[in-house]
């Protein structure tokens, strides 16, 4: 029978104090996993005592190596850290966005490959609808997310030699701090919602179940895939 359990698994979530990453952390915890959250910003209050928090900038290779050295076992690596900027036509900002989403992804995958090889674990990357559609206001974000889809395929093939699965989730429009501007702009908001067959913004909890599923052995034959979680946005 398919096994949907993630009980006892050790899960590292970058961007885990953010909206989607925070929901991932909660969902894994509720399903019996142990969670390490690594984020640029660790709040000073309201932390969950069941979680190990690590301050981490995913642009910093040495910091990632140090975190990897401090973790003895890992079953699931989720790269959920990210940001967008209104300045992405500036090459240095464009490069910074790629660094966080895409190069950071490779850094983490390389650093934790030995752990994941030992556990026959998996990686879950976070793409976006902008991997598929043009992003005129955030060209770096779009390029980075298209890159995440491609990197997911390449790593899936390469890491299969070590028994590691690599997949991605492409969330649609999800209600977080990242999308506050779009939600508050009446015209943009109307355009977005009218194109979503489900007719609503996604909530972070809507995305979390897919991460738990991909991490479970019920998803053992899923490799190199990017799963849209978008209320049907990408099929319209
Ligand atoms: N919200 C959406 O609609 C949506 C849609 C598609 C994809 N995504 C992706 O989902 C992921 C999470 O986004 P969110 O909506 O929860 O946004 P969020 O802003 O709530 O969370 C992003 C988190 O990433 C952290 N972060 C940013 N730069 C970092 C760095 N250099 N090192 C470590 N941590 C860093 C932030 O501190 C924050 O906690 C991102 O990759 C985003 O691109 C979001």
């Amino acid at each position: 029978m398919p096994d949907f359990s993630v009980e006892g698994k050790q899960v590292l979530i970058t961007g885990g104090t953010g909206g989607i990453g925070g929901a991932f952390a909660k969902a894994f915890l509720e399903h019996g996993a142990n969670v390490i959250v690594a984020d640029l910003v660790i709040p000073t209050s309201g932390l969950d005592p069941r979680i190990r928090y690590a301050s981490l900038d995913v642009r910093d290779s040495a910091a990632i190596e140090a975190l990897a050295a401090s973790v003895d076992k890992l079953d699931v690596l989720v790269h959920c850290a990210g940001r967008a900027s209104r300045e992405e036509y500036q090459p240095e900002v464009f490069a910074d966005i790629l660094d966080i989403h895409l190069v950071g992804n490779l850094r983490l995958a390389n650093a934790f490959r030995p752990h994941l090889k030992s556990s026959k674990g998996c990686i879950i990357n976070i793409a976006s609808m902008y991997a598929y559609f043009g992003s005129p206001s955030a060209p770096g974000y779009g390029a980075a997310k298209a890159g995440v889809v491609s990197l997911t395929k390449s790593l899936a093939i390469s890491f299969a030699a070590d028994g590691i699965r690599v997949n991605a989730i492409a969330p649609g429009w999800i209600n977080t701090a990242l999308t506050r501007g779009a939600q508050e702009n009446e015209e943009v908001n109307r355009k977005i919602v009218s194109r979503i067959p489900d007719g609503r913004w996604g909530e972070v909890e809507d995305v979390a179940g897919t991460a738990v599923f991909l991490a479970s052995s019920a998803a053992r034959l899923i490799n190199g895939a990017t799963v849209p979680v978008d209320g049907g946005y990408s099929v319209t």
Side-chain angles (χ1 to χ4, degrees), residues 93-207:
V93 179
F94 185 98
D96 185 61
I97 299 293
L98 258 73
D99 200 2
I100 295 169
H101 293 267
L102 189 55
V103 189
N105 204 325
L106 182 70
R107 284 186 193 104
L108 288 155
N110 284 340
F112 287 97
R113 184 172 184 166
H115 305 69
L116 297 169
K117 180 181 179 181
S118 297
S119 63
K120 300 288 170 240
C122 72
I123 297 177
I124 300 170
N125 297 325
I126 307 302
S128 158
M129 288 299 112
Y130 282 142
Y132 312 113
F133 304 113
S135 173
S137 61
Y141 185 88
K145 292 305 195 184
V148 167
V149 171
S150 175
L151 181 63
T152 297
K153 295 176 189 174
S154 299
L155 293 180
I157 299 166
S158 163
F159 283 32
D162 291 339
I164 302 166
R165 292 183 299 113
V166 185
N167 292 296
I169 295 171
W173 292 93
I174 311 299
N175 174 17
T176 70
L178 189 74
T179 52
R180 194 116 317 137
Q183 291 175 67
E184 284 171 3
N185 182 320
E186 214 173 290
E187 195 192 331
V188 173
N189 187 40
R190 192 170 348 100
K191 263 192 192 161
I192 289 170
V193 174
S194 67
R195 191 181 151 176
I196 302 171
D198 288 10
R200 67 169 177 91
W201 279 77
E203 298 300 331
V204 291
E205 295 79 13
D206 295 326
V207 191

